[in-house]
Each structure stands twice: as structure tokens, then as C-alpha cells.
Amino acid sequence: MSRKEEIAHNLETVRANIAAVVAHPVTLIAVTKTFPASDVQILKELGVIDFGENRDSEGAEKSAVVPGTWHFQGQIQSNKLKSITSWASVIHSLDDPRHFEIIEKVAPHPLSIFLQVSLDGAHNRGGAGVDQLYHLAELVSESTVHTLAGLMSVPPVEMDPDMAYSQLAVIRNEFLLRFPAANSLSAGMSGDYQSAISHGATHVRVGSSILGSRSPHR
Ligand SMILES: *Cc1c(COP(=O)(O)O)cnc(C)c1O
């Protein structure tokens, strides 16, 4: 099987699995971290337009080769924001008001912004606590340039995905009462995107189910 056939097959499976849960369209973001630009090019040829990266350097490099809608979903470092906002048009991982202040100063174009919510107290995988979420949402929603898209979350590894995503749905429903326009939900990865969609995800971020396994720590 060629690499293109392999990716096409995986992509078809993921798309069918999504369609099996909901009839409405869900934005499928192909997470291309650690994979070469040649794979991104193949995805593009197969009709994928949304690509996700966790690291500024990788995103900058691949987005220069393959145009599309590029999503940044990694931990934000202040000194990388100028570069990140030059190639990404969507940020999934805002969890700190100071980072948004920098974005307002340095971003060369309007961004769509998800706020990352932590589902555990430890904030291990990033994310704002529910207590900090509303302040952050107010800041972003007051911007005349950038758009508050909604919420994003990565469930704690030890947590059952169904439990995590039903908890997230509760947080989101409450959030929508205050920010009704911010109705996107970025949730779901290779192991759990069907569960996330059944709990309302509008954007799923899928890497290994499409492109194969990465080294364990990424
Ligand atoms: C790596 C990563 C993904 C994709 O993970 P897979 O299990 O490969 O689908 C999604 N979201 C975030 C934040 C990630 O870091």
C-alpha cells in the first residue's frame, strides 16, 4: 500500500466513524505533528483543509509548504506568539489572559480563539480552571478583531473519556448562557472522538488514527 492509500483508508474510516455518531458536519482537524509536510500534502489532496500543530516551528515550516487552515493547539509560550499568530488562524489553547494581551499586540490577522478548560484541578495538560474561564472569555469577546470560538479541552489521561466529555458538556452549557455566540467545542482525539462528538464537539483533533503512531511522548 502506498502512503497515500494508507492515509486515504484511515481518513475514510475516521470520516465514517464521525458520520456514524452525528448527521451534521464536524470539523475534522488532522493533527500533523511529527509527520512530514509530504503527509500534509497528501491530506490536502484527499480534501483535508484543517491541520493542527502543537509546536510553532513545525507549524511555521509545514504551513509554508501546504496552504490551509492551520490550528495551533499546543501549550503557548509568550515569546512564540508572534510567530504562531503569523501562520495559525485558529488557536485552541488559550488559558492565560497575558497571552491574549500579547496576541492583541502582535497578531497580523484576525484569529478564531478557543479557551482551553482544565477538567482536573491540577491543570496538568494545560487549561484554565472554570473560575478563570469567564474573565478570559470576557477579554476575548470584547475584542473587535479576534473571535471567541468556544471551549476546548484535553481530558486528563486517567479519566474515562465519556465522564470527561459529559463534564465538559455541563461546563459548556453553562458557558453558552453567558457567551451564546461562542458555540464551538474543540474536543476529541484519536481514542475518543466519537465520545466527544456525542457530547457536542464541533471540532475534533485527530492525529494517529489518520497518520499512524508517533513516538510515545508526543
Ligand atoms: C497530539 C494531540 C492531538 C491528537 O492526538 P491523537 O491521539 O494522535 O489523535 C489532539 N489534541 C492535542 C492537544 C494534541 O496534543
Side-chain angles (χ1 to χ4, degrees):
M1 222 187 336
S2 70
R3 181 66 173 147
K4 185 165 186 178
E5 284 164 341
E6 182 188 357
I7 293 175
H9 170 80
N10 292 344
L11 191 58
E12 211 169 293
T13 305
V14 170
R15 283 176 172 154
N17 288 344
I18 292 172
V21 185
V22 282
H24 62 257
V26 170
T27 301
L28 172 60
I29 300 161
V31 176
T32 51
K33 64 184 179 198
T34 76
F35 291 97
S38 55
D39 281 353
V40 186
Q41 185 57 43
I42 288 172
L43 286 165
K44 178 105 181 182
E45 287 161 16
L46 295 168
V48 176
I49 48 175
D50 290 279
F51 306 107
E53 286 287 344
N54 285 47
R55 290 189 183 177
D56 171 50
S57 53
E58 273 191 83
E61 189 190 311
K62 294 174 213 173
S63 61
V65 183
V66 186
T69 299
W70 284 85
H71 300 249
F72 181 80
Q73 56 175 38
Q75 207 173 6
I76 296 174
Q77 288 170 273
S78 305
N79 61 347
K80 297 284 170 64
L81 274 170
K82 193 177 166 99
S83 176
I84 291 167
T85 57
S86 72
W87 57 265
S89 50
V90 187
I91 298 210
H92 289 250
S93 42
L94 184 71
D95 62 4
D96 185 333
R98 287 168 299 185
H99 292 156
F100 186 64
E101 283 166 24
I102 298 172
I103 288 171
E104 284 195 296
K105 289 198 185 89
V106 301
H109 52 231
L111 295 162
S112 183
I113 297 178
F114 288 85
L115 310 183
Q116 185 172 351
V117 192
S118 169
L119 296 178
D120 59 6
H123 307 255
N124 278 330
R125 305 187 83 180
V130 176
D131 48 329
Q132 305 156 288
L133 201 59
Y134 285 80
H135 170 60
L136 196 53
E138 248 147 46
L139 270 184
V140 179
S141 65
E142 279 165 9
S143 166
T144 53
V145 176
H146 307 294
T147 307
L148 179 63
L151 302 180
M152 177 274 206
S153 196
V154 180
V157 265
E158 68 283 0
M159 205 166 172
D160 169 65
D162 269 320
M163 289 265 284
Y165 291 132
S166 62
Q167 192 178 318
L168 180 62
V170 172
I171 294 168
R172 182 207 189 191
N173 288 339
E174 192 76 29
F175 184 80
L176 282 174
L177 299 175
R178 276 274 290 284
F179 301 95
N183 57 6
S184 292
L185 181 64
S186 169
M189 322 196 333
S190 288
D192 57 24
Y193 61 90
Q194 287 188 302
S195 164
I197 293 167
S198 72
H199 289 101
T202 59
H203 293 61
V204 293
R205 309 175 311 271
V206 180
S208 51
S209 288
I210 299 173
L211 292 169
S213 55
R214 295 178 302 269
S215 56
H217 59 287
R218 296 217 40 207

